[in-house]
Amino acid sequence: MYKYSEKDKKIIAGRVKQFRNQVQRRLNGKISEEEFKPLRLMNGLYLQLHAYMLRVAIPYGELSSRQLRKLAEIADKYDRGYGHFTTRQNIQFNWPKLPDVPDILEELSKVEMHAIQTSGNCIRNISADHLAGLTNDEVEDPRPWCEIIRKWSTFHPEFSFLPRKFKIAITGCENDRAAILVHDIGLKLIKKGSRIGFQVFVGGGQGRTPYIAKKINDFLLKKDLLNYLEAILTTYNQLGRRDNIYKARIKILVNQLGVEKFKELVDESFKKLSDKKLELNETTIQKIFKFFELPNIKHCNEKISISSNQKFNNWIKQNTIPHKILGNSIVLISLKSENRPPGDANSMQMYKLANIADKFSFGEIRVTHEQNLVLPHVKNSEIYEVWNELDKLELATPNIDLITDTICCPGMDYCALATARSIPISQQISNFFKDYGDQKKMGNIKIKISGCINACGHHHVGNIGILGLDRNGKEFYQITLGGSSKQDASIGQIVGPSFSSENLIIAIKKILQTYQKNKSSDKDDFMTVFRRIGIEEFKKNLYDNTGKTN
Amino acid sequence: MSANDLLTGKVVFYSPGGWSFRSNDALKINIKDIEKFQRIIEEDEKRCIIVSPEFVELDESGHIKTLRDKIRNSGVTIEI
Ligand code: SF4
């Protein structure tokens, strides 16, 4: 795990001091809200519907047990005893008080955490595959590259006031678990002969105008990564629109210019930069890679024994993955237990999970962009004990990748921009489909829910996407089908008129019936069927003879 | 008339005694008087009491009209 250098520590301490002063000036009336807003946003502090919200960065989703304990402590001391893990692998506290925020940031700085780059028109926290460095299907661990980019991008003087926010994600393998194709820049580590480099994708994104990113470089040498990113960002910074917030993201620029023209401009700019100041040398790269070496995990032949406990067996099947070191497993902790808001964890769960991580997983925890947590290195011989501990904490729901493992934004329960609630929808789904056997029969299905068109709940790339709308003061939900954020990414297609919250479950049931009816084998998952039969077949069953579905 | 309290971010309602956390205390304002109250808002924003002011629409029977405002008044609709 990356450790702060003295310089990092100084920068963060300086930033806390600076923000303390800014808050003081705001409270004393020396600066207005208009002046204060950009300052607080640069420190991750939003004003939501009925409270402030502080978004804390968890770079590429990696947390130590010490950091998790600190988050639990902050939840108890300054908030309402819980935190919400987000789709960008960060955590949000929903109830901090303005005068406390500098203290919170100071406490965070003691465990090498901060809230920088979690808001504003800058390069945001870089996200990565939550299984980085843990599986055999990987070309290379993306985390060191995230860290290299983080170092370059933090407080980059030219890129602190971009036309709009800017999100980068990296994957180290073909199986994309980081949703790189719906990011402003997506990087994929690939191997060409004996060399490793990057495929570069730009202009992906969700929100009002969703786009899948387009490839602009088939093989970028590692040494050129920062120069190339600088070239992309410079092009965007110069040409991206600043007159219309809805047209300011890089995806709009790429689509207006056309990908070929955009690539040409980037290449031109890159030529001027390449082999210059930002070229990475092997020593620098290796120095960063050192931080991400695996802990001392023992290789052994121990397998997970089947138990007489069916709950445990289900959980093993659903929530564990073999670690690349034989005899060990990766444990996925679902934050989607019944009746809990997706992604929420209370302070007691966080404290105890930190202890579990210390005892069984070298003190490491990860956050996934699907709002779950990971214990990255657990010995197979100790996995029953881990399950037992997690079960006591209500953290052993066996539903990873199943229908109740929804992604869901905070929606109108918290968010000032929302047009409808999203958490109650996710809870309805959890309640309705709670039986593990039934979920398993349906196979892997991603349901993603957003409370407005900003799409923080990634509904555009849900196999079933749900978007909350306001129709004459009433909550309605539009369904999209066929979205995916994987390597074969696609934007979901709108199925038709929206549904009231009461009829939404009936509609989902009908969609699932169509899927089940059209499966040609048990192995067919939802996307396979959708891509084979198309949306019309789903529409027919959804709106025909239904009486009143919507 | 509502806003967020500058210190806590909590929703406050303008009442005869000043800003209150209780909507029951809220002063009901006729649409034609809005301008007068806008001046109070501006003053209280300057005095660092409130932030993000907005008017809450009421229906004919005097109840909060929109779901958003209902949530602002009663809090989250889920168990946390
Ligand atoms: S999608 Fe909309 S409602 Fe949901 S968190 Fe984002 S801005 Fe808020």
Side-chain angles (χ1 to χ4, degrees), chain A residues 263-287:
Chain A
K263 178 177 159 40
E264 200 184 299
L265 294 170
V266 170
D267 287 344
E268 243 169 61
S269 167
F270 176 62
K271 258 185 228 143
K272 290 183 212 149
L273 295 163
S274 66
D275 296 334
K276 289 192 189 146
K277 62 176 177 102
L278 290 172
E279 189 175 299
L280 291 161
N281 61 46
E282 208 37 48
T283 322
T284 312
I285 297 172
Q286 284 318 317
K287 218 170 118 192

Side-chain angles (χ1 to χ4, degrees), chain A residues 269-333:
Chain A
S269 167
F270 176 62
K271 258 185 228 143
K272 290 183 212 149
L273 295 163
S274 66
D275 296 334
K276 289 192 189 146
K277 62 176 177 102
L278 290 172
E279 189 175 299
L280 291 161
N281 61 46
E282 208 37 48
T283 322
T284 312
I285 297 172
Q286 284 318 317
K287 218 170 118 192
I288 299 291
F289 265 78
K290 271 248 162 270
F291 288 108
F292 297 92
E293 281 173 355
L294 281 179
N296 188 17
I297 305 169
K298 296 263 172 338
H299 175 291
C300 68
N301 285 324
E302 179 101 29
K303 291 207 170 70
I304 300 171
S305 354
I306 298 296
S307 146
S308 55
N309 184 331
Q310 197 48 43
K311 252 170 86 183
F312 169 72
N313 294 341
N314 291 345
W315 178 80
I316 287 291
K317 240 186 275 166
Q318 211 57 50
N319 291 34
T320 62
I321 299 171
H323 195 285
K324 70 179 177 188
I325 298 189
L326 205 66
N328 296 273
S329 291
I330 305 159
V331 166
L332 294 146
I333 299 169

Side-chain angles (χ1 to χ4, degrees), chain A residues 103-364:
Chain A
D103 293 339
I104 300 175
L105 294 179
E106 191 166 339
E107 295 216 21
L108 286 170
S109 72
K110 289 184 187 141
V111 293
E112 305 190 355
M113 294 186 90
H114 58 71
I116 300 161
Q117 286 174 291
T118 61
S119 176
N121 294 341
C122 61
I123 300 173
R124 299 284 185 92
N125 182 32
I126 322 296
S127 57
D129 181 354
H130 52 273
L131 302 186
L134 304 176
T135 59
N136 277 322
D137 62 352
E138 190 174 76
V139 168
E140 189 168 274
D141 188 342
R143 291 170 304 160
W145 295 104
C146 293
E147 185 51 38
I148 287 168
I149 297 172
R150 189 197 65 77
K151 279 178 173 293
W152 158 77
S153 64
T154 303
F155 303 142
H156 192 302
E158 269 181 59
F159 306 145
S160 295
F161 297 96
L162 291 166
R164 224 25 207 113
K165 58 187 166 186
F166 203 91
K167 298 175 182 177
I168 303 175
I170 316 181
T171 179
C173 58
E174 187 53 40
N175 180 9
D176 179 7
R177 290 174 289 248
I180 65 162
L181 294 179
V182 283
H183 279 75
D184 296 293
I185 294 180
L187 297 169
K188 176 157 78 173
L189 283 147
I190 58 158
K191 205 165 184 179
K192 215 173 182 184
S194 60
R195 287 190 314 174
I196 291 174
F198 296 94
Q199 276 185 347
V200 184
F201 300 84
V202 287
Q206 302 194 57
R208 202 168 287 265
T209 332
Y211 282 113
I212 300 298
K214 298 183 176 72
K215 200 198 289 177
I216 59 162
N217 197 318
D218 209 29
F219 192 78
L220 177 70
L221 295 175
K222 288 173 170 184
K223 72 175 176 66
D224 292 328
L225 178 67
L226 295 185
N227 277 317
Y228 198 75
L229 293 182
E230 184 108 353
I232 297 174
L233 265 299
T234 305
T235 308
Y236 169 54
N237 207 16
Q238 282 168 1
L239 301 178
R241 285 180 66 170
R242 289 172 191 270
D243 60 327
N244 182 340
I245 191 173
Y246 302 121
K247 300 206 162 144
R249 296 288 291 263
I250 194 172
K251 59 188 175 184
I252 304 292
L253 178 66
V254 172
N255 276 280
Q256 272 171 359
L257 291 174
V259 69
E260 284 311 318
K261 179 71 188 163
F262 184 80
K263 178 177 159 40
E264 200 184 299
L265 294 170
V266 170
D267 287 344
E268 243 169 61
S269 167
F270 176 62
K271 258 185 228 143
K272 290 183 212 149
L273 295 163
S274 66
D275 296 334
K276 289 192 189 146
K277 62 176 177 102
L278 290 172
E279 189 175 299
L280 291 161
N281 61 46
E282 208 37 48
T283 322
T284 312
I285 297 172
Q286 284 318 317
K287 218 170 118 192
I288 299 291
F289 265 78
K290 271 248 162 270
F291 288 108
F292 297 92
E293 281 173 355
L294 281 179
N296 188 17
I297 305 169
K298 296 263 172 338
H299 175 291
C300 68
N301 285 324
E302 179 101 29
K303 291 207 170 70
I304 300 171
S305 354
I306 298 296
S307 146
S308 55
N309 184 331
Q310 197 48 43
K311 252 170 86 183
F312 169 72
N313 294 341
N314 291 345
W315 178 80
I316 287 291
K317 240 186 275 166
Q318 211 57 50
N319 291 34
T320 62
I321 299 171
H323 195 285
K324 70 179 177 188
I325 298 189
L326 205 66
N328 296 273
S329 291
I330 305 159
V331 166
L332 294 146
I333 299 169
S334 167
L335 292 181
K336 320 291 170 58
S337 68
E338 214 188 311
N339 299 323
R340 297 278 311 152
D344 278 17
N346 65 39
S347 58
M348 192 265 288
Q349 289 173 321
M350 288 193 252
Y351 275 125
K352 296 213 165 153
L353 190 55
N355 296 344
I356 296 172
D358 277 340
K359 195 165 164 199
F360 300 104
S361 187
F362 297 88
E364 290 182 25

Side-chain angles (χ1 to χ4, degrees), chain B residues 9 18 24 28 39 46 50 63-64 68 70 74 77-78:
Chain B
N24 288 347
K28 289 180 184 158
R39 277 196 297 275
K46 267 192 216 138
I50 55 147
H63 297 121
I64 295 177
R68 185 178 188 276
K70 282 179 191 157
S74 336
T77 62
I78 46 172

